[in-house]
Amino acid sequence: MNLDFSGVLPSLPYILQGIGTTLKVVVLAALLGFALGIILSLCKISSIKVLNWIADFYTSIFRGTPLVLQLMLIYFGSPQVFGIQIEPFTAAFLSFGLNSAAYISEIIRAGILAVDKGQKEAAMALGVPYRKMMMDIILPQAMKNILPAIMNEMITLTKESAVVTIIGLNDIMRRAYIVGGQSYRFFEPIMLAGLIYYVLVMILTIVGKLVERRMRRSD
Amino acid sequence: MIKIDNLHKYFGRLEVLKGINTSIKEGEVVAIIGPSGSGKSTFLRCINLLEQPTEGSIWIKDQEITGKKTNISKVRTNVGMVFQHFHLFPHKTVLENLTYSPVKVKGMPKKEAEEKAMDLLRRVGLAEKAGEYPNRLSGGQKQRVAIARALAMDPEVMLFDEPTSALDPEMVKEVLEVMKSLAGTGMTMAIVTHEMGFAREVADRVLFLDGGQLVEDASPEEFFSMPKTVRAKEFLEKVL
């Protein structure tokens, strides 16, 4: 064994700075994924067949190809398609957000279908229009049921964000890799990065539990 | 008040309602009874368009609600519905259950809606439960809240779909009492029920449905003491 963590300590602030980048990508991707996921899930349960097809096709594409491929396609492919080179950061949150939307839409769809049919009828009988019924009655109840699955998706998103390293975005993972490259000692900085990801995921887990408890107030 | 003309309803190829003609006058309390599968609930649900009639027309006041251009949402705000399984909104408090649609659908100011809701809760004897979530209530209390919620929209007609069938026996009475007092205020009511005693006491008219057809339409005294048809006789022998 040839381990020495003291050598990596001076680089610790440099690696820690990557947390900001990672979090920014994750938060923006989560917001995009969530907003788009809700719209897609509503398309999936719609009685309009064309909307079903579009949403199902979208999901099949983003679930059926590797995330890293989607990231590379958006980042390296953008100059050919749009004539501009988009920023690594933009490419990162776009691809993660679009990818996440596919998974989140499936989770929300299942959550909506699990809400008692009587809730919809009661809202209809009170004259509540479709949009308000979904936003105020059905989705809040669906959210409560699917919160653990959504948290799972957020955790996956946080960890998988490490692949942005390949397009040169200075997140936790890439910084650890650079520090390793400078000293030819990879084990220590990468272990350190692993510890940071682990702590982030633990914090997410605790936050998820707190939100869940709050949402169960009405039980 | 309500006029139903040649109402047919199919579920796929199954004909559930086979041409029903009747009318309900303003302030009238009508009990709809019949064996299970006779189409009573479907009939009731057609009146607020929770089921779309396959054929025929329904008029409420002077408006044909089965017309192509009908604003269904508007029709429903005028027709209250109480379900067998209550269907209160579990993530909202009792008070919020009552104020939600007056505020969000009718645009009533929140304060006014809350005052009105508290009045209604007092009427059904549950003012002290305003801040509770529905899961903390008993079945009878839930159903009384559900009635108050429907009344909060100021409907001109109230529909009840087996309102006491999901209740424990000791809670049936409290709900029937509320309905009885509501009938006393002159509300137009259509009630699908298995409570024959209640139908006899409170209803002005009994509609007996069997096999998707309106078999008898009579006053309670007439219907319960001397039913005209064999089918009604057989039914009453089983339930009384």
Side-chain angles (χ1 to χ4, degrees), chain B residues 17 23 38 60 78 108 124 130 135 155 191 239:
Chain B
L17 297 176
S23 58
S38 59
I60 294 182
N78 201 21
M108 189 186 279
V124 299
N135 285 350
I191 307 162
V239 297

Side-chain angles (χ1 to χ4, degrees), chain A residues 119 121 124-125 127 132 136, chain B residues 45 73 76 88 91 100 104:
Chain A
Q119 291 293 309
E121 292 197 342
M124 281 163 67
K132 284 180 182 161
D136 299 337
Chain B
R45 290 161 59 88
S73 176
R76 288 182 180 140
L88 294 177
H91 60 303
Y100 174 73
K104 289 292 178 113

Side-chain angles (χ1 to χ4, degrees), chain A residues 32-208:
Chain A
L32 175 64
F34 209 70
L36 191 57
I38 289 181
I39 295 170
L40 284 170
S41 67
L42 292 176
C43 289
K44 284 176 184 177
I45 59 162
S46 162
S47 55
I48 303 167
K49 282 271 174 294
V50 181
L51 293 181
N52 302 160
W53 292 334
I54 293 171
D56 284 341
F57 182 66
Y58 180 97
T59 304
S60 76
I61 293 295
F62 278 90
R63 276 205 308 202
T65 56
L67 173 58
V68 74
L69 179 146
Q70 294 158 22
L71 178 66
M72 288 171 88
L73 199 64
I74 289 177
Y75 182 66
F76 297 119
S78 63
Q80 277 170 272
V81 181
F82 302 109
I84 46 151
Q85 177 58 58
I86 59 175
E87 293 294 314
F89 177 76
T90 315
F93 91 75
L94 264 182
S95 56
F96 289 139
L98 295 176
N99 180 276
S100 205
Y103 290 92
I104 290 178
S105 71
E106 276 301 289
I107 297 172
I108 296 178
R109 184 184 68 92
I112 291 173
L113 293 181
V115 174
D116 180 14
K117 196 166 107 298
Q119 291 293 309
K120 190 178 166 189
E121 292 197 342
M124 281 163 67
L126 287 164
V128 181
Y130 182 83
R131 210 189 139 89
K132 284 180 182 161
M133 173 178 82
M134 276 298 165
M135 293 310 290
D136 299 337
I137 307 296
I138 307 296
L139 282 174
Q141 293 184 57
M143 288 307 157
K144 197 167 93 174
N145 296 332
I146 63 179
L147 198 69
I150 293 283
M151 284 318 292
N152 213 12
E153 175 61 23
M154 291 303 118
I155 287 170
T156 305
L157 190 59
T158 307
K159 289 184 303 177
E160 293 299 300
S161 73
V163 304
V164 298
T165 298
I166 64 148
I167 59 165
L169 191 61
N170 274 322
D171 71 328
I172 301 167
M173 191 70 241
R174 184 173 158 82
R175 283 165 191 259
Y177 179 71
I178 289 172
V179 170
Q182 284 166 347
S183 59
Y184 298 105
R185 297 180 67 92
F186 285 95
F187 188 89
E188 294 91 345
I190 290 176
M191 273 301 278
L192 204 63
L195 183 68
I196 297 172
Y197 280 111
Y198 182 76
V199 170
L200 286 180
V201 168
M202 283 306 111
I203 293 172
L204 258 180
T205 309
I206 292 166
V207 169

Side-chain angles (χ1 to χ4, degrees), chain B residues 98-99 101-102 106 108 116-117 120 147-155:
Chain B
L98 266 69
T99 55
S101 40
K106 281 189 157 176
M108 189 186 279
K116 191 177 162 61
L120 285 165
I147 294 171
R149 179 177 69 174
L151 290 174
M153 290 297 276
D154 274 328

Side-chain angles (χ1 to χ4, degrees), chain B residues 203-216:
Chain B
D204 301 310
R205 247 169 80 208
V206 173
L207 301 183
F208 176 71
L209 265 65
D210 190 18
Q213 288 168 321
L214 179 55
V215 180
E216 290 207 28

